[in-house]
Amino acid sequence: MCGVFGVHSADRDVARLTYFGLFALQHRGQESAGIAVSEGGRVTAVRDMGLVAQVFDEEKLAALPGEVAIGHTRYSTTGGAHWSNAQPLVHHGAARTVALAHNGNLVTPGPLRDELLAAGVRIASTSDTEVIAGLLGRDPAPLPEAVAATMARLDGAYSIVAIVGGTLVAFRDPLGIRPLTLGRIGDDWVVASETCALDLIGADVVRDVLPGEVVWVDDEGCHSAQAVPRGRSAACIFEHVYFARPDSSLGGTGVHAARVRMGERLAEEAPVDADLVMPIPDSGTPAAIGFAKRSRIPYEEGLIKNRYVGRTFIEPDQELRRQGIRLKFNPLDEIAGRRLVIVDDSIVRGNTMRALVQMLDDAGAAEVHVRISSPPVVSPCFYGIDMADEDELAAAHRSVEEMREHVGATSLHYLSLDGMQWATRLPEEEVCRACFTRSYPTRVPAGRLAAKHRFEATASR
């Protein structure tokens, strides 16, 4: 997850453009938000906990003039949800000052972090991101060579936007695990995690930043180089299933259309005799549309979602916590006595689906048939998804029938691996499907070496 955005322009309000870019990428992270700008080579950053609209207002944006800006919305995968881990980070290195924002997750940042600390480099955060900034900040080589040398030492997923002096820099890991797209607004260059952010600010999509490529934009224009050799492409297929906004395009494939195809294929693979198809909003909506279309079972909204849950700092009291799922969903009266097909994109821990099935039963549904538009999630992700340990993944050690019993459904079926792959229109050899297959494109750590909070106790303050 996480959303990154960057823009270089001598004439536009780069902080405001970045604000709206982040607004379009809010779905990729809701823990913290930040913007860094460079004015004449001087970097200023504002970052805080909360949503983009909670962190920034007119006064703060007006105080961020400059020619280059980068922004970030955070979803934590290494390092806890606290202010010191909010991004963009500003790192003052021996060779250069670097403002940097990162989407992805390094697989083995520990040795690099230890090396930097031993060399006297101050690391103020507990995320893996400052390792990247630390390596780049102490390398005295010219910028493209310093980026290439830094990338050669990193292992894992990283789509990066950075400011070095008055230059906008973007680079992507050699497997291209997380998305990063280059665009233009007039004569100015923009980079963003997803195309939906370019759409919002009126920029044209130019192309994806290639795996292993570095792009830098300065007063002379846009430049690029293959910084490290490309590996086999391993774009995250879960971006197509869940992460990306439906109005984005990934690898040339429209996300909404891919999710509708997942629902259509699911209806072919797991037909059911029912009265209506309903989504778990909003994640299951496109697939439910596809399922209804192919099965010719009427599509209806059966659950009303409170879209502001999780957007407040006020904790529910004990009685509201007992109500659980009703904080987020409430069923309509129309489902009573009807045979339902409920469609969602995935089941991870299974707690939400079990509570939803129980709530629909309590509301009088005659049958509740669960259809999932991806295969069972059986293995954790090390590349930027805060996914549970394998023992906490509901389907990791259960059969489909055991999962049906676990969630309490009348029936349960998942989309096949082949069906999901077909829906994305991407070749199997160009995606990472490790969370569904346990087959990783890189070496992965075990035990506490992969723990999210592994650097919390040793952080330098």
Side-chain angles (χ1 to χ4, degrees), residues 3 5 18-19 22 32-36 45-52 55-56 64 70-74 86-88 101:
F5 183 92
T18 302
Y19 171 86
L22 294 182
S32 64
I35 295 173
V46 174
R47 56 194 176 108
D48 211 341
M49 306 304 292
L51 303 177
V52 176
V55 173
F56 294 99
L64 292 172
I70 60 171
H72 188 265
T73 61
R74 186 168 191 252
Q87 298 182 32

Side-chain angles (χ1 to χ4, degrees), residues 213-231:
E213 183 183 30
V214 57
V215 174
W216 66 101
V217 183
D218 55 23
D219 292 339
E220 304 300 317
C222 183
H223 320 272
S224 65
Q226 190 67 39
V228 294
R230 291 186 64 167

Side-chain angles (χ1 to χ4, degrees), residues 104-234:
N105 199 57
L106 300 184
V107 173
T108 53
L112 293 174
R113 181 186 176 92
D114 292 342
E115 175 189 318
L116 290 169
L117 290 171
V121 176
R122 183 176 183 271
I123 296 181
S125 69
T126 58
S127 74
D128 54 339
T129 302
E130 199 165 5
V131 169
I132 306 172
L135 291 172
L136 186 56
R138 71 170 184 164
D139 192 326
L143 181 59
E145 288 85 347
V147 172
T150 296
M151 293 174 69
R153 303 202 64 195
L154 303 178
D155 188 15
Y158 52 91
S159 286
I160 301 288
V161 294
I163 298 174
V164 180
T167 301
L168 172 66
V169 185
F171 54 97
R172 191 177 180 201
D173 69 77
L175 298 177
I177 296 173
R178 296 281 153 225
L180 195 60
T181 299
L182 185 66
R184 290 188 75 166
I185 178 169
D187 294 329
D188 299 320
W189 292 91
V190 187
V191 65
S193 290
E194 293 184 35
T195 60
C196 63
L198 303 181
D199 294 338
L200 188 149
I201 65 166
D204 296 322
V205 175
V206 176
R207 62 176 178 86
D208 288 342
V209 176
L210 299 176
E213 183 183 30
V214 57
V215 174
W216 66 101
V217 183
D218 55 23
D219 292 339
E220 304 300 317
C222 183
H223 320 272
S224 65
Q226 190 67 39
V228 294
R230 291 186 64 167
R232 74 103 166 160
S233 183

Side-chain angles (χ1 to χ4, degrees), residues 371-383:
R371 296 295 182 268
I372 303 299
S373 60
S374 65
V377 175
V378 297
S379 193
C381 175
F382 299 94
Y383 307 117

